[in-house]
Amino acid sequence: MTITDQKFKLVDGVFNPSEALDILNAFLDKKINFHKLQRLSIIEKNCDDDTPHLYDRIDELIKSKEALKQTILDAKIEGFNLQIEGDIQITLVKNKLS
């Protein structure tokens, strides 16, 4: 297997404010729920583990969601569409347990 970095374009286009809000909210909601489920799973295994890094990441994503909502509202009020470009880069990292 050849190990290389890979980049994928997830979003690329111009969207009206309503479409942009739908796209970005869906993504952020999935990320927030992913971290909440991770936190719940960890806490169920060890009730003493308060997972501060996950709380911080969830808070960060919620703040980003609110800031994006305001940006999109401003764009709507001013009569702008939004160009959204979203790439994801994947790098294979050796599992520490292997």
Side-chain angles (χ1 to χ4, degrees):
M1 178 171 125
T2 303
I3 299 176
T4 61
D5 292 349
Q6 294 191 12
K7 192 174 190 178
F8 301 93
K9 185 165 285 298
L10 297 182
V11 181
D12 185 18
V14 176
F15 303 92
N16 69 43
S18 178
E19 293 168 332
L21 187 61
D22 287 346
I23 291 166
L24 297 171
N25 270 341
F27 176 76
L28 287 168
D29 286 343
K30 287 286 186 184
K31 282 293 293 174
I32 290 166
N33 286 336
F34 172 79
H35 289 300
K36 285 180 176 179
L37 288 172
Q38 265 191 321
R39 182 182 64 195
L40 181 61
S41 177
I42 290 168
I43 290 171
E44 283 180 345
K45 291 175 188 171
N46 179 2
C47 64
D48 294 329
D49 189 347
D50 63 359
T51 62
H53 62 287
L54 291 176
Y55 282 98
D56 292 344
R57 184 65 180 135
I58 292 166
D59 288 342
E60 181 183 333
L61 289 167
I62 290 170
K63 288 175 185 171
S64 292
K65 186 176 173 183
E66 290 303 314
L68 277 168
K69 192 183 297 185
Q70 185 59 53
T71 298
I72 292 170
L73 178 61
D74 293 344
K76 183 176 182 178
I77 290 169
E78 296 294 325
F80 287 98
N81 285 331
L82 297 100
Q83 181 170 341
I84 302 173
E85 298 176 20
D87 295 335
I88 186 165
Q89 183 167 338
I90 298 175
T91 303
L92 299 178
V93 179
K94 189 71 171 169
N95 186 342
K96 293 179 182 178
L97 298 176
S98 296

